Amino acid sequence: MLPQMFEVPFSFGIFKRAVDQGLVSLNLYNIRDYTHDKHHIVDDYPYGGGSGMVLKPEPVFESVASIKAGIEDEAVELPVILLTPQGRLFSQQIAQELSLYPHLVLICGHYEGVDERVREHLTTDEISIGDYVLTGGELPAMVVIDAVVRLLPGVLGAEASSLDDSHASGLLEYPQYTRPAVYSGWSVPEVLLSGNHAQIAKWRREQIIQRTLQRRPELLDKANLGIEDKQLVERLTTRQSQFNSDRES
Ligand code: SAH
């Protein structure tokens, strides 16, 4: 609907470099170009009444058909994803899953949404970027594209850097510091300056567990924790409940 919205975020920085290096390409389609009437009408009143307008099925089906026709390898499975607040909740895991496909088609809704037949007979997947409602699917599509593209091999400078990210392993990342070692009287944790890699790795792992426990305890339930991690969770939980009961008494 509004292809211009995509210009700015994808014309700079990491994404632009990825496009220039041929690691990814982004093709924008305006469903208005798939209408056959003089005024290029893409929406209409909802059957049964009610407020707002609904995107008509024909231009959406026709645009996706023409995209499909342009993809040479017909054998590959092509996800056709509708952005909708009713879809499955987007996550790093879904980003990883989508990053394995050679092509993705993302459909951005507008107004009140899209004729239900698009969902029933055209899309293979529906994604929501969160439990709130936006005016159009462009920002959600950009969120999905950004999260997927940074996982593609070669897109981030150091290959390993996306593996450490929050959520990559199902947990939150450890805190990061850079120079200066002391800023405004606040020092970087001693261990990070020690040059002792084993100690640093241990400290980071503890921070990962501690942060996740404090901020998103439900993530720990799903995570793949080693024995040491589990012991740490137990120690921290006991410490926390002692702290709470000391405060109450
Ligand atoms: N009436 C619809 C919402 C329409 S919002 C409903 O209640 O389900 C208009 C369009 O914005 C949607 O078609 C969708 O493409 C996009 N959109 C809005 N919020 C979104 C979200 N949280 N995630 C993904 N897409 C969203």
Side-chain angles (χ1 to χ4, degrees):
M1 276 289 290
L2 297 171
Q4 310 87 305
M5 279 181 76
F6 290 83
E7 280 167 19
V8 172
F10 298 127
S11 305
F12 297 94
I14 290 176
F15 197 88
K16 181 173 188 302
R17 202 182 58 207
V19 171
D20 291 346
Q21 291 178 344
L23 300 172
V24 63
S25 69
L26 178 70
N27 300 303
L28 301 168
Y29 301 85
N30 191 338
I31 58 167
R32 279 192 202 288
D33 299 336
Y34 298 87
T35 49
H36 304 289
D37 61 304
K38 205 169 91 196
H39 300 291
H40 302 290
I41 291 173
V42 292
D43 58 336
D44 209 334
Y45 296 99
Y47 273 121
S51 63
M53 300 295 273
V54 177
L55 285 184
K56 292 159 68 59
E58 309 94 309
V60 182
F61 274 89
E62 283 188 37
S63 55
V64 173
S66 104
I67 294 167
K68 279 184 177 166
I71 294 176
E72 283 154 24
D73 188 357
E74 278 175 29
V76 296
E77 198 191 333
L78 176 67
V80 178
I81 303 165
L82 178 67
L83 281 318
T84 161
Q86 304 184 24
R88 57 185 179 136
L89 210 50
F90 192 54
S91 63
Q92 191 64 20
Q93 201 186 338
I94 296 179
Q96 268 151 5
E97 181 193 307
L98 298 181
S99 71
L100 303 176
Y101 290 97
H103 304 277
L104 298 174
V105 174
L106 302 175
I107 303 176
C108 306
H110 247 262
Y111 313 119
E112 268 311 294
V114 183
D115 186 284
E116 186 69 6
R117 286 163 290 188
V118 167
R119 195 189 65 72
E120 287 171 339
H121 305 293
L122 184 63
T123 62
T124 61
D125 196 359
E126 294 167 55
I127 289 179
S128 163
I129 62 156
D131 291 339
Y132 40 79
V133 178
L134 302 167
T135 53
E138 289 84 358
L139 289 171
M142 288 184 226
V143 167
V144 171
I145 295 168
D146 190 305
V148 170
V149 167
R150 70 192 288 287
L151 294 175
L152 300 178
V155 169
L156 292 187
E159 193 78 35
S161 54
S162 73
L163 296 176
D164 288 344
D165 285 331
S166 296
H167 300 297
S169 64
L171 302 172
L172 305 182
E173 200 188 46
Y174 50 81
Q176 302 270 19
Y177 295 87
T178 186
R179 280 188 285 191
V182 182
Y183 171 67
S184 256
W186 302 307
S187 313
V188 168
E190 224 17 79
V191 59
L192 297 178
L193 310 175
S194 69
N196 182 332
H197 295 296
Q199 284 296 325
I200 292 172
K202 183 162 176 277
W203 180 83
R204 286 185 166 164
R205 189 68 197 168
E206 285 171 4
Q207 291 292 319
I208 287 175
I209 302 291
Q210 196 171 339
R211 293 221 136 180
T212 311
L213 183 64
Q214 277 165 351
R215 294 164 187 230
R216 300 288 304 278
E218 79 283 6
L219 295 178
L220 284 173
D221 300 336
K222 285 185 275 173
N224 225 338
L225 298 185
I227 289 185
E228 279 185 28
D229 293 337
K230 285 185 184 152
Q231 288 169 341
L232 182 61
V233 171
E234 238 163 73
R235 276 206 308 279
L236 292 170
T237 322
T238 324
R239 204 188 295 166
Q240 187 62 38
S241 53
Q242 261 165 3
F243 175 76
N244 289 346
S245 62
D246 286 351
R247 238 184 6 178
E248 277 159 24
S249 60

